Amino acid sequence: MAGYSAIPSAASDQGSRPTSTASSNRRPRKGKDGGYVGTASFASSVINLVNTIVGAGVLAMPSALSNMGVTLGVLVIVWSGLTSGFGLYLQTRCAKYLDRGSASFFALSQITYPNAAVFFDAAIAIKCFGVGISYLIIIGDLMPGVVRGFTDSPPAEYLVDRHFWVTVFMLVVIPLSFLRRLDSLKYTSVIALISIGYLVVLVVYHFAKGDTLAERGAVHLVQWKGIVPTLASFPVIVFAYTCHQNMFSILNEISDNSHFQTTSVVMTSIGSAGSIYLLVAITGYLSFGDHVAGNIVAQYIPSVASTIGKAAIVVLVMFSYPLQVHPCRASVDAVLKWRPSSSRRSNQNNASGSPSRASLLSQSPATQATRGEMGETRFAAITTAIIILSYIVAMTVSSLEMVLAYVGSTGSTAISFILPGLFYYKISSPHSPHHQRLLKGDDDEEEYVSDEEGEESWTGPQARRTLVRRLSLALAIYGVLVMVVCLITNTFFIAAH
C-alpha cells in the first residue's frame, strides 16, 4: 500500500476470472506430473506488485521529505525500500517449503505457529479492509472537485455529493472485486500505473517550469525539523512499500517460480517504486520547500492539468480497491476455517515431522488442484460481505486518518517485517523437519554435514543461507521497534489534537 498519510495507497490480491466464468477456467493449470503450474508472466507479476506498492500516498512523499531534510529523507526512503524488499525476499524463500500454488500466511503459520494463525490472518483482514475503505473515502472527497474543475457553470447538486460518487465508483469496482486471480487485474493495474505516471510527470513538470518558486519556502538539504516531525513522517515512508499481503498470490500464479525469477520480481518492483518515490519526493519538495502540503497536487494553481491530476488519483485508488479485497477475502476465509483442534493436531504432526513439503507433494493431484479454492457460495458470500461493509462505512465516515494510522502501525508492520522474519527464522532452522526435507527433496539445494558434536557445518552457499536466517530475525525485531515507535507517535498526535 502506498503510505498512510492524508492520502493512503494501494494493496492487492489475487484476481481471476469472474464468477460467471465456467468453473473449469478457474481451476489451477496442472503440469504433466499433476502438480500446480502458474500462468502469470514476469511482466504481469511486476505490474501488479508495483501497483500494490505505489498508490496515492506517493503524493505525500514531498511533505515527509520536508520534515526530514533531503539527505535524511532520501536515506529513509532507500532504507525502507531495502527492508521491505528483504521481507518480500523472505516470502519467496518461505514459499519453497509449501506445495506449489498453496503459499499463504495461513499455510505458513500452520507449520510454524499454528496457535497464532488466526491472529495473523485477522490482522491482514483488518488492514486490507481499512485501506479499501480509505480508497472509497478518497473518491468521495476528490470527485466533487474534479467536477467543478471541468465545468464553468455550477454543477448539479448531486454531482458534488460525495455519497453519489462513492456509490457510482463502487458499482464499477464490484465486478473487479469478484475476480479470483491476481493476474486478471493486470490490465486495470496498467491503467493505474498510467495514472501514477501522469502524477509523476505533473510534479516534475511544475518543478522544471519553476512556476511554484514564488510560493516556495525554505529548502533544507541536511537540517531536519526535529525528532517529533520526523517520527510523524517515518510511518508514511515505511508503509509506502507495503505490498506483502499480495506477494504469495503472485508467487502462486507466476509461471516460472525459480529463485532467480521471483527475486527479479522483487528487485524490479521495489526498485521501480523506490525510484518513483525519490523522484516525486525530491522534485516536489524543491518546488514548494517547507510550504509543501500533504497532497502536493492540491497545491498547484487550478488548471485542466491539476484537475486531471485529481482525476488520476481517483482512477488510481479505484483500481487499487480490488487489490485490497483479495487478501482481505483470503484472510477472512482462513479465520473462518481455523479451529483450535486443528492447531493441536498440526502441532502434533510437526513434532513427528509429518506435515512437510514432501508430504504435501505426496497428496493426490485432485487434492492439490482444489486445495485453497473457495467454493462458489463461500467465495461470493465473503466478497459480498466485504463490499457491503466497506460501502456502509465509507458512506457514514468521512475521515479515517487516525484509524488508518493505527491499522498501518500494526497490520502493515506485521505483514511487512514481523511475519516474514519470524516465519523464515522458524521454518529454516537446521533442526526443522520441514527444512531437512526441503534439502533432501531439492537437487539444487546444498547439503550440510554434521560434525561429531552435532553442530552443523555448512559449505558454499549455505553460509549465505545462515546469514539470511539471522537477518530474518533482525527484520522481525526491527518490525517490533517500528510498531512501537509508530504507535507512540500516533498516540502523541492524537493527544496533541
Side-chain angles (χ1 to χ4, degrees):
M1 83 178 202
Y4 283 102
S5 63
I7 298 183
S9 87
S12 158
D13 171 33
Q14 336 159 267
S16 135
R17 306 182 187 276
T19 54
S20 60
T21 308
S23 59
S24 60
N25 290 335
R26 292 193 303 267
R27 294 301 180 189
R29 194 166 61 118
K30 291 185 289 184
K32 296 180 180 179
D33 59 353
Y36 180 96
V37 177
T39 58
S41 65
F42 173 85
S44 68
S45 299
V46 171
I47 288 173
N48 281 317
L49 195 58
V50 172
N51 186 35
T52 303
I53 300 172
V54 183
V58 65
L59 302 177
M61 285 292 166
S63 177
L65 209 66
S66 70
N67 290 328
M68 299 181 178
V70 175
T71 302
L72 179 60
V74 169
L75 290 176
V76 172
I77 292 175
V78 174
W79 167 255
S80 299
L82 291 175
T83 53
S84 181
F86 184 58
L88 293 173
Y89 173 78
L90 293 180
Q91 288 183 257
T92 68
R93 302 310 297 157
C94 287
K96 294 296 183 181
Y97 294 88
L98 298 168
D99 203 10
R100 177 73 161 111
S102 67
S104 67
F105 281 109
F106 182 79
L108 275 175
S109 62
Q110 287 299 296
I111 59 175
T112 52
Y113 309 97
N115 291 324
V118 65
F119 299 105
F120 296 156
D121 275 288
I124 296 173
I126 293 173
K127 187 203 78 71
C128 295
F129 182 74
V131 175
I133 292 172
S134 73
Y135 293 156
L136 299 178
I137 292 176
I138 290 173
I139 291 174
D141 290 343
L142 291 182
M143 278 308 298
V146 173
V147 172
R148 293 189 183 97
F150 283 122
T151 57
D152 296 328
S153 58
E157 185 176 349
Y158 71 90
L159 291 178
V160 292
D161 182 7
R162 65 178 300 273
H163 298 93
F164 170 77
W165 288 111
V166 170
T167 303
V168 169
F169 280 90
M170 176 59 78
L171 295 176
V172 175
V173 301
I174 284 177
L176 301 176
S177 301
F178 277 90
L179 298 176
R180 281 184 178 262
R181 293 180 57 249
L182 184 64
D183 187 49
S184 298
L185 292 172
K186 60 187 175 185
Y187 300 112
T188 57
S189 291
V190 169
I191 298 175
L193 290 179
I194 292 175
S195 300
I196 294 173
Y198 177 83
L199 294 172
V200 173
V201 170
L202 182 66
V203 174
V204 175
Y205 168 77
H206 281 287
F207 165 72
K209 188 177 180 181
D211 57 0
T212 62
L213 295 180
E215 306 174 30
R216 188 172 74 174
V219 175
H220 302 287
L221 297 180
V222 179
Q223 183 180 0
W224 66 350
K225 291 185 178 180
I227 184 66
V228 174
T230 297
L231 288 179
S233 298
F234 182 67
V236 175
I237 298 177
V238 172
F239 302 148
Y241 288 96
T242 302
C243 62
H244 302 65
Q245 67 273 20
N246 290 313
M247 188 61 197
F248 283 128
S249 296
I250 289 174
L251 294 174
N252 290 336
E253 295 179 18
I254 192 170
S255 56
D256 180 5
N257 70 330
S258 64
H259 175 66
F260 174 79
Q261 192 80 343
T262 56
T263 303
S264 297
V265 168
V266 172
M267 294 178 62
T268 303
S269 302
I270 291 294
S272 300
S275 299
I276 293 173
Y277 290 152
L278 287 172
L279 181 61
V280 172
I282 294 174
T283 57
Y285 175 57
L286 294 180
S287 295
F288 290 98
D290 286 345
H291 293 164
V292 68
N295 178 5
I296 189 173
V297 171
Q299 288 189 269
Y300 294 127
I301 299 174
S303 63
V304 174
S306 61
T307 302
I308 294 177
K310 294 178 182 177
I313 298 174
V314 172
V315 173
L316 173 61
V317 298
M318 176 182 67
F319 288 136
S320 296
Y321 176 85
L323 297 179
Q324 297 293 346
V325 172
H326 181 75
C328 182
R329 177 176 54 229
S331 295
V332 169
D333 179 57
V335 170
L336 295 176
K337 288 179 178 178
W338 184 83
R339 297 292 183 275
S341 57
S342 299
S343 297
R344 287 194 296 268
R345 285 195 298 270
S346 179
N347 281 330
Q348 293 170 359
N349 288 339
N350 285 344
S352 62
S354 61
S356 66
R357 182 171 178 269
S359 65
L360 287 173
L361 293 173
S362 66
Q363 296 177 6
S364 66
T367 301
Q368 291 177 352
T370 59
R371 188 192 312 107
E373 286 283 318
M374 271 184 267
E376 295 293 334
T377 303
R378 188 181 187 88
F379 179 90
I382 295 177
T383 305
T384 302
I386 293 172
I387 291 174
I388 292 177
L389 289 176
S390 62
Y391 174 73
I392 292 175
V393 175
M395 292 288 282
T396 55
V397 179
S398 60
S399 177
L400 283 180
E401 280 83 1
M402 298 317 302
V403 174
L404 287 175
Y406 279 113
V407 171
S409 300
T410 55
S412 294
T413 304
I415 295 171
S416 302
F417 309 126
I418 300 176
L419 294 187
L422 290 180
F423 283 151
Y424 185 81
Y425 184 80
K426 178 75 176 285
I427 204 172
S428 64
S429 170
H431 303 288
S432 167
H434 313 294
H435 186 63
Q436 293 174 1
R437 284 189 174 86
L438 180 66
L439 292 181
K440 294 177 181 178
D442 289 351
D443 294 334
D444 61 334
E445 297 284 354
E446 293 76 23
E447 296 182 354
Y448 68 89
V449 180
S450 299
D451 59 21
E452 296 179 355
E453 298 178 358
E455 297 292 334
E456 291 83 4
S457 60
W458 302 83
T459 59
Q462 185 52 42
R464 293 194 297 271
R465 188 180 295 112
T466 303
L467 176 62
V468 170
R469 182 167 182 265
R470 292 173 179 172
L471 289 176
S472 68
L473 180 60
L475 182 70
I477 296 174
Y478 169 75
V480 173
L481 294 176
V482 170
M483 179 183 295
V484 172
V485 169
C486 293
L487 286 175
I488 293 176
T489 302
N490 293 329
T491 303
F492 175 83
F493 276 99
I494 287 179
H497 294 80

